[in-house]
Amino acid sequence: MKMNPLGRSGLMVSELCLGTMTFGTQTSLDEAHAQIERAFDGGINFMDTAEMYPVNPVRAETTGKTEEIIGDWFAKTGRRGDYILATKHSGEGSAVRDGAPISSKTIRETLEGNLRRLRTDYIDLYQFHWPNRGSYMFRKNWTYDPSQCAMSRAEIIADMEDCIGALQAEVERGTIRAFGLSNESAWGTAQWLAVAERMGGPRVASIQNEYSLLCRLADTDLAELMVHEEVGLLPFSPLAAGYLTGKYQGGAVPEGSRMSINEQMGGRATDRVLPAAQAYLDVAQKFGIDPVHMALAWSARRPFVASSIFGATTIAQLEHALGAADVTLSDELLAALDATHKAHPMPY
């Protein structure tokens, strides 16, 4: 499997990353451990989790369970060194810490919890799950208005400086190797980069945002920043929450699928999404390529992407997804995907 640099961190990560957000809900402990082993055997050296996982649904009483499942595997196998491990600190309004925002006061406390549950003494990539000032992600882009932010510019920068100082203390303590963002914008990332350069704290290595053939918000301003500043995108939901697999076409709702648990698919279930998904399925059929492989390979090989994060409920789904590493996307196929995007822009 192709390996890519994770920003300027010095870490090299596989172009596909094992997502774990269903470990502990849709995916049992034994199945999760089997997935971790199979993913590594398939060439994956990168695994992503978060303190608030599992999801579908998120519950206060289950937060941290996914990290515990991963930690159990590390403890059982002694193979912590096999993986580049990423986790996240939840932001304001989350189900942990009574919804407190990220600050210098929460970083060490939260990190100690991550380390304890994951049975490790360091995190390779420590990410802020979403910005304190708010975000246009999670389908908020349709009504996003930065002029209504509750924080002034000075407050935003001061907040970043406060956090960078606490993160630098963890770098010096050896508990984190690299720092990343999630659900961030081009402007926000630029400010984090400037603060780190000015203060000497950890430089942003990556941004984990939703990105797929159905959700290409990162293609313009953010892409330019990532290319020129050497910050890698970590796309989540590269299969568009399952829409690009074709399993929901014709109104189907497979048992145990995300839609069977979350009917509105986190705001993705619009009148335009199934026709858009069908257009991509038609491209895959025309070019004789598996649609899952097409979607994963496309997201993983964009010029600003470090690693594309996919999740699998079952081993069978994981086996299928791993095949994306072996496919080649022709120039003609890529042009067809761009034309389809132009005909079906942002269906949710």
Side-chain angles (χ1 to χ4, degrees):
M1 186 173 296
K2 185 175 183 287
M3 294 287 166
N4 296 319
L6 185 67
R8 296 181 187 171
S9 68
L11 300 172
M12 296 293 292
V13 294
S14 50
E15 69 171 358
L16 297 178
C17 172
L18 179 64
T20 64
M21 70 180 188
T22 64
F23 288 9
T25 49
Q26 294 167 277
T27 307
S28 69
L29 181 145
D30 288 343
E31 180 86 6
H33 286 185
Q35 284 196 30
I36 295 170
E37 293 185 12
R38 179 65 190 95
F40 182 79
D41 291 344
I44 290 176
N45 76 336
F46 192 25
M47 179 163 43
D48 177 74
T49 189
E51 65 165 338
M52 66 178 279
Y53 291 170
V55 302
N56 297 330
V58 175
R59 297 192 190 97
E61 59 269 25
T62 60
T63 57
K65 188 173 182 181
T66 300
E67 289 187 325
E68 290 174 352
I69 288 172
I70 295 168
D72 287 345
W73 186 81
F74 288 148
K76 180 177 73 173
T77 64
R79 293 172 59 186
R80 168 66 182 91
D82 283 354
Y83 271 98
I84 303 295
L85 177 64
T87 193
K88 308 180 196 75
H89 182 316
S90 300
E92 185 173 13
S94 73
V96 294
R97 287 178 301 284
D98 298 321
I102 301 166
S103 72
S104 60
K105 298 179 180 65
T106 63
I107 289 171
R108 178 158 296 186
E109 167 199 350
T110 302
L111 181 57
E112 289 294 340
N114 300 121
L115 295 171
R116 182 179 65 255
R117 289 185 295 271
L118 288 163
R119 311 274 196 100
T120 184
D121 54 8
Y122 68 99
I123 304 298
D124 295 293
L125 177 65
Y126 203 62
Q127 304 159 102
F128 287 172
H129 214 146
W130 55 85
N132 285 338
R133 68 184 190 280
S135 171
Y136 59 74
M137 301 298 286
F138 308 114
R139 268 67 60 202
K140 295 178 182 177
N141 54 295
W142 301 106
T143 55
Y144 181 64
D145 182 358
S147 72
Q148 300 304 306
C149 179
M151 302 171 71
S152 69
R153 184 185 188 281
E155 288 170 333
I156 292 169
I157 301 303
D159 180 56
M160 290 177 177
E161 290 174 346
D162 179 59
C163 289
I164 284 287
L167 288 168
Q168 180 60 25
E170 296 305 326
V171 171
E172 293 169 0
R173 198 163 69 106
T175 52
I176 65 172
R177 299 177 68 191
F179 168 54
L181 301 169
S182 187
N183 300 296
E184 253 300 359
S185 67
W187 181 83
T189 306
Q191 303 317 305
W192 281 107
L193 289 166
V195 168
E197 184 172 357
R198 184 169 66 250
M199 295 183 61
R203 189 180 196 275
V204 174
S206 59
I207 311 168
Q208 184 176 151
N209 283 7
E210 182 167 0
Y211 186 68
S212 71
L213 288 165
L214 295 184
C215 180
R216 294 180 60 169
L217 283 172
D219 272 345
T220 55
D221 300 74
L222 192 58
E224 183 180 30
L225 179 142
M226 289 185 290
V227 167
H228 292 299
E229 298 299 331
E230 297 179 88
V231 174
L233 184 67
L234 305 179
F236 72 80
S237 231
L239 295 175
Y243 278 115
L244 290 169
T245 69
K247 66 184 177 183
Y248 297 125
Q249 295 307 108
V253 183
E255 184 178 354
S257 66
R258 183 181 299 198
M259 191 178 288
S260 71
I261 299 167
N262 182 346
E263 183 179 357
Q264 294 304 309
M265 300 285 278
R268 298 179 183 90
T270 69
D271 292 340
R272 294 192 298 120
V273 69
L274 291 179
Q278 188 60 54
Y280 287 104
L281 295 169
D282 291 345
V283 171
Q285 183 176 31
K286 176 182 176 181
F287 284 86
I289 187 172
D290 182 278
V292 170
H293 297 166
M294 179 182 77
L296 284 176
W298 178 86
S299 69
R301 293 173 195 160
R302 298 290 283 164
F304 44 82
V305 168
S307 184
S308 190
I309 305 168
F310 73 96
T313 306
T314 66
I315 281 285
Q317 291 175 343
L318 174 61
E319 290 280 2
H320 186 185
L322 286 171
D326 299 322
V327 305
T328 299
L329 305 181
S330 67
D331 290 342
E332 293 78 12
L333 171 56
L334 293 173
L337 293 176
D338 284 341
T340 305
H341 169 57
K342 188 173 182 179
H344 299 272
M346 291 298 297
Y348 51 74

